[in-house]
Amino acid sequence: MIVRILGEGQLEVPDSAAGELNELDGALETAVERDDEEAFRPALTALLAKVREVGSPTEAGDLRPSELIIPQPDATMAEVRKLLTDEGLIPG
Amino acid sequence: MVAPMGVMKRVTMVFRAKANKALDRMEDPRETLDYSYQTQLELLQKVRRGVADVATSRKRVELQINTLQQNGAKLDRQARDSLGAGREDLAREALTRKAGVQTQLDDLQTQYASLQGEEEKLTQASQRLQAKVDAFRTRKETIKATYTAAEAQTRINEAFTGISEEMGDVGLAIQRAEDKTAQMRARAGAIDELMASGALDDMVSGPHDDIQAELDRLGATHGVDRELEAMKAEISQNAPRQIEGTSAGSSDGATTAPASTASTAEPSEPE
């Protein structure tokens, strides 16, 4: 499956990594929901590290949409919240 | 109850919803291709302008850094000169001001690194978007040539969704860069204002530079002192001969001394 890291581009990630990614993503979601700044940063960092570890960049001209999109590494919790609504996105 | 979906899926859905809404607006799917391509080219322009804007801000901060570095070096020199002149109070003042300049400098250097990072990110975003736009153009021509409107639908949807995701991502990157440069521009403006008002300028340069004025005054005093010393030395050099020749030891002797040496030399001349 294709995963996008915002601001960085897309990576091809083996489907077998889905379970692990979902788990890490769950921790990130919990941190955002609880407004837990302390848990947020390490959760995002761990998720990104895993995706980078198992993924490889897609071809430059690949037009396939991503199955999963991860916020940019330096995203604040407020920015992530904005991403979860359609606020702040330019119409595509 | 909605099952938890995770951040990744939810963000993806928001991106998809945007793309779908745009697709729904189009009556003929093939029309979508040309319209979207137009939008892509506009976004490419925008991201390139973004890169240029960030570069401009970065250069401005660079100029300020250079100015402040010169100011810091000058204050350092002044502190040394002050110490050399035995004015520790003045040296302390110069070093205190230097510390103030250093604080500004540290802040500017952080800003500079941040702007450099944004510039780099936007440049890469622009390259990624360019590659996708090129791919989209090729795909668009193939679809238009090969398929009927109905057949084209699925292929168009996929390409459109893919490119619009990239566009959304680039759009966000531009926004982040704009926000950051706006903040830095405000701060750079504040520093420029400080410099223009003379608050920073007063510290280190120009006619209002009180440390330099004091050093100049000290320098002038030193000059007078040195001249006095030189004169005294000159006089004391001449004085012993005078004592040898005549017994005049008053300060008047200084002016009469050359005359007396001349008169003692006179007798040897005719011979």
Side-chain angles (χ1 to χ4, degrees):
Chain A
M1 64 186 161
I2 297 179
V3 178
R4 172 181 294 271
I5 299 175
L6 286 180
E8 289 184 16
Q10 294 170 300
L11 297 114
E12 183 86 60
V13 170
D15 291 347
S16 58
E20 217 173 337
L21 289 183
N22 278 331
E23 212 170 289
L24 291 165
D25 187 27
L28 178 64
E29 190 175 38
T30 309
V32 173
E33 269 165 11
R34 292 190 184 153
D35 205 13
D36 186 349
E37 189 73 58
E38 247 171 72
F40 168 77
R41 185 63 47 197
L44 180 57
T45 306
L47 178 60
L48 287 163
K50 191 74 213 169
V51 171
R52 290 199 181 106
E53 181 199 321
V54 297
S56 47
T58 56
E59 294 283 315
D62 196 331
L63 285 174
R64 287 176 296 165
S66 309
E67 213 164 301
L68 299 170
I69 298 179
I70 309 181
Q72 68 277 13
D74 61 354
T76 62
M77 199 142 60
E79 281 174 319
V80 172
R81 263 205 204 92
K82 257 185 168 180
L83 282 172
L84 298 176
T85 65
D86 59 359
E87 230 184 308
L89 283 182
I90 77 153
Chain B
M1 271 274 283
V2 183
M5 233 180 345
V7 171
M8 299 190 290
K9 263 254 137 53
R10 282 164 67 187
V11 175
T12 315
M13 282 178 65
V14 171
F15 273 77
R16 290 278 171 90
K18 285 276 172 188
N20 290 338
K21 218 184 273 175
L23 268 175
D24 288 346
R25 281 200 298 266
M26 307 295 161
E27 303 216 331
D28 178 352
R30 284 180 297 185
E31 222 175 78
T32 316
L33 295 172
D34 289 325
Y35 175 77
S36 174
Y37 185 63
Q38 220 36 58
T39 322
Q40 291 160 31
L41 294 181
E42 282 162 22
L43 186 60
L44 261 179
Q45 285 299 315
K46 198 177 170 191
V47 69
R48 284 183 192 139
R49 269 201 307 277
V51 173
D53 282 350
V54 177
T56 305
S57 289
R58 178 180 55 74
K59 280 173 198 151
R60 184 178 179 190
V61 170
E62 198 174 347
L63 282 177
Q64 291 185 328
I65 286 175
N66 288 343
T67 307
L68 284 183
Q69 271 170 345
Q70 283 165 16
N71 289 355
K74 183 176 180 187
L75 283 165
D76 195 83
R77 218 164 39 237
Q78 288 179 338
R80 275 166 212 283
D81 290 350
S82 302
L83 271 185
R87 287 291 304 273
E88 197 176 324
D89 59 323
L90 213 52
R92 185 177 297 277
E93 179 60 29
L95 289 179
T96 307
R97 290 177 192 184
K98 189 185 155 200
V101 167
Q102 190 59 49
T103 307
Q104 298 271 19
L105 207 49
D106 290 345
D107 184 41
L108 283 176
Q109 262 149 359
T110 310
Q111 288 185 41
Y112 185 82
S114 169
L115 286 173
Q116 223 174 7
E118 285 310 312
E119 197 178 336
E120 179 71 15
K121 278 185 216 165
L122 273 192
T123 306
Q124 281 168 7
S126 147
Q127 285 161 359
R128 279 197 303 272
L129 181 61
Q130 178 73 66
K132 300 238 175 189
V133 168
D134 289 345
F136 187 91
R137 191 189 57 230
T138 311
R139 181 86 59 94
K140 166 171 92 85
E141 295 315 318
T142 313
I143 291 173
K144 284 210 297 201
T146 322
Y147 301 94
T148 64
E151 284 172 329
Q153 188 70 68
T154 322
R155 284 166 181 82
I156 290 170
N157 281 4
E158 199 202 34
F160 186 84
T161 310
I163 195 92
S164 79
E165 180 189 310
E166 188 70 42
M167 291 167 78
D169 190 357
V170 169
L172 283 172
I174 294 176
Q175 266 181 20
R176 283 198 297 273
E178 274 175 359
D179 289 351
K180 220 164 252 184
T181 36
Q183 279 172 19
M184 309 239 166
R185 221 172 268 152
R187 286 158 84 178
I191 289 182
D192 275 347
E193 245 167 68
L194 269 178
M195 284 175 168
S197 74
L200 265 181
D201 215 36
D202 270 359
M203 284 189 183
V204 284
S205 62
H208 306 300
D209 186 346
D210 53 349
I211 292 182
Q212 194 56 49
E214 185 68 15
L215 279 173
D216 288 348
R217 201 184 60 71
L218 282 174
T221 310
H222 276 313
V224 170
D225 286 347
R226 263 200 308 277
E227 219 166 323
L228 274 174
E229 288 306 315
M231 281 181 178
K232 280 183 194 165
E234 202 179 312
I235 291 163
S236 60
Q237 252 177 19
N238 290 335
R241 285 189 223 167
Q242 221 172 12
I243 292 161
E244 278 165 25
T246 69
S247 59
S250 74
S251 60
D252 287 353
T255 46
T256 56
S260 65
T261 47
S263 64
T264 50
E266 240 172 25
S268 58
E269 229 175 32
E271 285 172 43

